[in-house]
Amino acid sequence: MKVTLQNITKKFGSTIAVNDFTASLTDGHLICLLGPSGCGKTTILNMLCGITKVTQGKIFFDDVDVTDLPPDQRGIGMVFQNYALYPHMTVLENIAFPLEVQKISKKIRNEKALEIAKLVHVENLVQRFPSELSGGQQQRVAIARALIKNPKLLLMDEPLSNLDARLRLEMREEIRRIQKETGVTTVFVTHDQDEAMAISDSILLMKDGFFIQEGLSQELYNNPNCKFTSDFLGNPPINQIHLKKNELEIENPGWKISCGILYKDKEKIELPEEYTLSVRAESFDFCKDGKISADTESVVELGKERFAYLHLFNTSVRAFIYDEEEINEGEKVSFNFRKRGVFIFNTKTGERLM
């Protein structure tokens, strides 16, 4: 099912939680609503399911206006952060409960519950109670209960936040598998950018109630439309070098900065009084004839990855060291910036200049 949010605004008194938000969610895709806490992600989810009323704007499921429809008439399934399983019911009874509410016979609802239990890999746990399950198992049961109604839209609100790191990795892979097998359009709310990039077909990035950018995870990572996107996506975080207009003279293959002017692709862009040179850790190309040099403050190994901390333009930056590169603490290194992962932004407005 295709979902369209048309100029959605939600106000709580004088507070605007969601501000003129417009987006289309592709049928059969897993879409992540991503952004920092308080940006309006869960509010949008609650408006989609009908728990929260829209202040302004329209919501369409396919071509049907559902803005004022109650939750039970929208054909949605919801998975909450706290799972919300009934402690006095077995796994089978929890999964089957939505069909019990619909007055479907016990035989049919149990058959359907067993079928869904197999889909989420809890068929061997159906006689247990929630207190006898691990966090990941409880999450699978919660997903099964949401899917048993055969929803047109599945909504998931921070469903992995209560799990430990290893289990989060396992469950996000399982959620992706289940979504692929069922083909149900899914909206997944998270503040974790690694989670969003790993699990989604596309990402809707939000900030302070506003829509910021939409695209595939790598599109947002490689081609951010503003400083907020580049800062929010990426682990380790992107290096930020804050500069004044005439503070830096730099030449790099393909572009240079001189006398407060950025020269790139035969273009001349006058830089603002304050701008930010943002460089991802993997965007340093160490070479003997590099046009840029820096002092190595330290070298750190993190599992399979090695990083050099460089003193560059009066800022400490992190640079990824590839296997063939030999860099030692205290030495001066030369390099060029790679084409991908290097951006220039207006510091005050966040506008992308390069």
Side-chain angles (χ1 to χ4, degrees), residues 124-138:
N124 60 329
L125 305 173
V126 291
Q127 297 306 318
R128 292 191 188 182
F129 290 91
S131 61
E132 300 172 311
L133 305 178
S134 69
Q137 290 167 341
Q138 291 183 45

Side-chain angles (χ1 to χ4, degrees), residues 262 264 269-272 275 344-346 351-354:
L262 168 64
K264 185 178 185 296
I269 302 172
E270 185 171 354
L271 294 169
Y275 67 96
I344 295 177
F345 300 101
N346 183 315
E351 175 192 4
R352 181 174 167 182
L353 306 174
M354 180 186 84

Side-chain angles (χ1 to χ4, degrees), residues 238-250:
I238 196 167
N239 297 299
Q240 298 182 55
I241 304 167
H242 301 292
L243 298 161
K244 302 288 186 182
K245 182 175 182 178
N246 295 304
E247 185 176 2
L248 179 67
E249 300 284 322
I250 181 175

Side-chain angles (χ1 to χ4, degrees), residues 314-332:
N314 294 319
T315 304
S316 182
V317 299
R318 184 193 286 108
F320 182 74
I321 304 173
Y322 293 90
D323 290 340
E324 67 275 10
E325 296 166 341
E326 280 297 328
I327 296 174
N328 300 301
E329 183 175 333
E331 70 180 16
K332 185 176 286 292

Side-chain angles (χ1 to χ4, degrees), residues 46-284:
N46 289 340
M47 287 190 287
L48 283 171
C49 74
I51 294 174
T52 299
K53 289 187 176 181
V54 174
T55 304
Q56 293 175 356
K58 297 286 185 182
I59 298 174
F60 295 90
F61 288 179
D62 287 332
D63 296 320
V64 179
D65 184 350
V66 300
T67 311
D68 297 317
L69 278 183
D72 60 348
Q73 295 181 28
R74 296 194 181 200
I76 55 100
M78 186 83 176
V79 180
F80 297 95
Q81 180 177 341
N82 63 356
Y83 317 140
L85 301 179
Y86 299 109
H88 62 287
M89 293 183 180
T90 65
V91 166
L92 188 69
E93 290 167 338
N94 264 283
I95 296 173
F97 184 72
L99 301 186
E100 183 179 352
V101 173
Q102 296 175 7
K103 307 299 183 184
I104 293 173
S105 72
K106 185 175 182 179
K107 181 176 183 295
I108 293 175
R109 66 177 184 254
N110 284 350
E111 288 175 355
K112 183 67 174 176
L114 283 170
E115 180 184 329
I116 298 295
K118 289 178 182 178
L119 174 68
V120 301
H121 296 169
V122 295
E123 66 273 20
N124 60 329
L125 305 173
V126 291
Q127 297 306 318
R128 292 191 188 182
F129 290 91
S131 61
E132 300 172 311
L133 305 178
S134 69
Q137 290 167 341
Q138 291 183 45
Q139 185 59 274
R140 291 170 189 264
V141 175
I143 294 170
R145 189 178 59 189
L147 289 174
I148 199 168
K149 296 185 295 183
N150 193 27
K152 297 177 182 177
L153 178 66
L154 180 63
L155 306 175
M156 310 185 81
D157 188 11
E158 302 264 10
L160 307 182
S161 60
N162 292 333
L163 306 180
D164 61 47
R166 186 180 295 273
L167 198 51
R168 285 171 75 104
L169 290 174
E170 176 188 325
M171 278 308 302
R172 75 188 189 192
E173 292 170 0
E174 279 298 287
I175 288 172
R176 189 59 175 144
R177 176 189 65 80
I178 292 165
Q179 192 276 330
K180 284 288 188 184
E181 288 188 22
T182 60
V184 62
T185 305
T186 301
V187 182
F188 185 103
V189 163
T190 181
H191 63 273
D192 186 321
Q193 49 102 5
D194 285 340
E195 200 166 270
M197 293 177 75
I199 202 172
S200 63
D201 289 307
S202 62
I203 292 173
L204 291 171
L205 183 63
M206 297 182 65
K207 179 188 179 187
D208 298 333
F210 287 95
F211 165 81
I212 299 298
Q213 188 171 353
E214 178 184 10
L216 301 175
S217 58
Q218 285 305 120
E219 288 175 356
L220 269 63
Y221 184 82
N222 292 324
N223 193 26
N225 64 2
C226 65
K227 186 174 181 295
F228 173 76
T229 302
S230 76
D231 294 350
F232 197 81
L233 292 177
N235 189 19
I238 196 167
N239 297 299
Q240 298 182 55
I241 304 167
H242 301 292
L243 298 161
K244 302 288 186 182
K245 182 175 182 178
N246 295 304
E247 185 176 2
L248 179 67
E249 300 284 322
I250 181 175
E251 185 171 354
N252 193 71
W255 60 273
K256 70 176 183 177
I257 293 172
S258 179
C259 299
I261 303 291
L262 168 64
Y263 297 88
K264 185 178 185 296
D265 299 332
K266 299 182 181 179
E267 280 188 284
K268 291 169 57 177
I269 302 172
E270 185 171 354
L271 294 169
E273 291 303 317
E274 296 180 13
Y275 67 96
T276 301
L277 174 63
S278 296
V279 185
R280 298 212 180 275
E282 66 270 22
S283 298
F284 293 78

Side-chain angles (χ1 to χ4, degrees), residues 5 8 10 17-18 21 25 33 39-50 52 59 155 187 189 204 206 209:
L5 298 99
I8 295 298
K10 179 59 188 178
V18 177
F21 188 96
L25 314 182
L33 282 177
C39 72
K41 307 183 298 294
T42 297
T43 301
I44 286 181
L45 210 68
N46 289 340
M47 287 190 287
L48 283 171
C49 74
T52 299
I59 298 174
L155 306 175
V187 182
V189 163
L204 291 171
M206 297 182 65

